[in-house]
Amino acid sequence: MLVGTAVGMVVGIASMRLVPVHIRPDAVVALVVGVPSAVGLLLILFSGRRWVTAVGAFVLALAPGWFGVLVAIRAVCGA
């Protein structure tokens, strides 16, 4: 899960640099927290193998890292 959080931070920074479109903050939070959380939980709940559970935990851990970077960027930019 630590690796998932770190990858989430890198993805958050990369998405802020690569996507210049301004999106509503509530939509971004829903996408950043909702999608990885739902996919990760579904993978964990319906996994039949150990590696699928590990992938589910990784995907589930992406959300807090990505969300933390977005919050930090918003705080630094003063928006």
Side-chain angles (χ1 to χ4, degrees):
M1 290 185 71
L2 182 62
V3 173
T5 304
V7 170
M9 289 183 173
V10 171
V11 168
I13 292 169
S15 67
M16 291 299 292
R17 299 299 299 164
L18 295 175
V19 180
V21 178
H22 295 286
I23 304 173
R24 291 181 23 195
D26 57 339
V28 172
V29 170
L31 287 173
V32 165
V33 175
V35 173
S37 297
V39 171
L41 284 174
L42 288 174
L43 280 172
I44 290 171
L45 289 174
F46 297 115
S47 64
R49 306 237 180 224
R50 252 187 259 176
W51 66 269
V52 178
T53 305
V55 169
F58 175 80
V59 171
L60 189 61
L62 287 174
W66 197 350
F67 182 68
V69 167
L70 292 178
V71 168
I73 289 171
R74 295 285 293 182
V76 169
C77 291

